[in-house]
Amino acid sequence: MGKVHGGLARAGKVKRQTPKVEKQEKKKKKTGRAKKRIQYNRRYVNVVTGFGKKRGPNSNADKA
């Protein structure tokens, strides 16, 4: 039988290596009706019709 993924000696290796970054203060997100309104506007109102394949909502291709 082969070994499955790393041994327990290496558990948490990456998390220990990464430097601690303090959480930033952010603006409160909208909730309820207001959030649905923003989603609707983002998805259906401001649609950019272009040629080629449609980019997903998480695409950063336009910020290159």
Side-chain angles (χ1 to χ4, degrees), residues 30-42:
K30 296 222 184 302
T31 57
R33 187 210 76 252
K35 182 175 181 179
K36 291 287 181 196
R37 180 179 172 208
I38 291 170
Q39 273 183 359
Y40 174 80
N41 286 333
R42 193 181 293 144

Side-chain angles (χ1 to χ4, degrees), residues 5-57:
H5 301 293
L8 289 177
R10 289 196 293 271
K13 170 182 177 284
V14 173
K15 186 170 182 177
R16 278 198 307 271
Q17 284 181 341
T18 49
K20 180 83 173 88
V21 178
E22 293 300 319
K23 289 218 160 114
Q24 296 178 338
E25 290 237 352
K26 295 176 190 156
K27 243 168 68 170
K28 177 178 73 74
K29 296 265 175 89
K30 296 222 184 302
T31 57
R33 187 210 76 252
K35 182 175 181 179
K36 291 287 181 196
R37 180 179 172 208
I38 291 170
Q39 273 183 359
Y40 174 80
N41 286 333
R42 193 181 293 144
R43 289 180 188 169
Y44 304 112
V45 178
N46 297 335
V47 285
V48 179
T49 52
F51 59 92
K53 195 173 175 187
K54 185 183 182 305
R55 284 199 307 266

